[in-house]
Amino acid sequence: MADYDRALADAADNAKAADETLQRLSAGASSPRGEVTLRVGPGGALQDITLTPAARALEAEQLAQLILTTAQDAQRSIGNQVVGIMTDYVGDGPVLDFVKQNLPEAADAEEPARSDDDYFANPPTVFG
């Protein structure tokens, strides 16, 4: 019974430590030419967005798409961080699968294919 109690206490300690670590997470991304820079929290929710004067030169649809794409880059980054942290605490298994299923869709999605020319002309900027 003492081993069971210790295992429960360890699980509670791990859950608390994981929660504290996750609450401090954020990830940011910038559009390839820097018109849009944003930051998301651990659940992928937008926390901050900055538009440069160059963003005003874009058509509304272009700017909207640029914001969406940049947000998805940041969400993918935060999702990868969350999965890494949770893997450390719970290992690979059903709990981690549950975490992955509840991340923003962009976090699990593969980055869209880009031509080499486009990638090198406009590399993404992702920061943690």
Side-chain angles (χ1 to χ4, degrees):
M1 188 66 157
D3 288 341
Y4 180 73
D5 288 342
R6 173 57 37 232
L8 284 178
D10 288 346
D13 289 344
N14 279 345
K16 183 177 179 183
D19 183 57
E20 290 171 357
T21 301
L22 291 173
Q23 292 306 315
R24 292 189 304 266
L25 281 185
S26 68
S30 293
S31 60
R33 290 177 300 281
E35 303 95 337
V36 176
T37 299
L38 53 81
R39 182 162 293 284
V40 297
L46 187 63
Q47 292 180 328
D48 186 44
I49 186 167
T50 302
L51 302 175
T52 66
R56 285 187 238 149
L58 299 172
E59 295 292 328
E61 293 89 17
Q62 291 175 309
L63 181 57
Q65 187 59 48
L66 196 57
I67 291 169
L68 273 174
T69 302
T70 306
Q72 289 168 343
D73 288 345
Q75 289 170 334
R76 196 172 8 266
S77 177
I78 198 72
N80 291 335
Q81 289 180 52
V82 168
V83 168
I85 288 167
M86 292 306 295
T87 300
D88 291 344
Y89 285 104
V90 302
D92 198 17
V95 174
L96 187 61
D97 291 341
F98 178 78
V99 169
K100 288 178 181 179
Q101 290 170 0
N102 288 284
L103 290 173
E105 185 176 319
D108 273 343
E110 292 293 319
E111 189 165 337
R114 297 171 60 187
S115 74
D116 289 343
D117 291 338
D118 180 48
Y119 182 85
F120 288 109
N122 302 297
T125 303
V126 178
F127 48 94

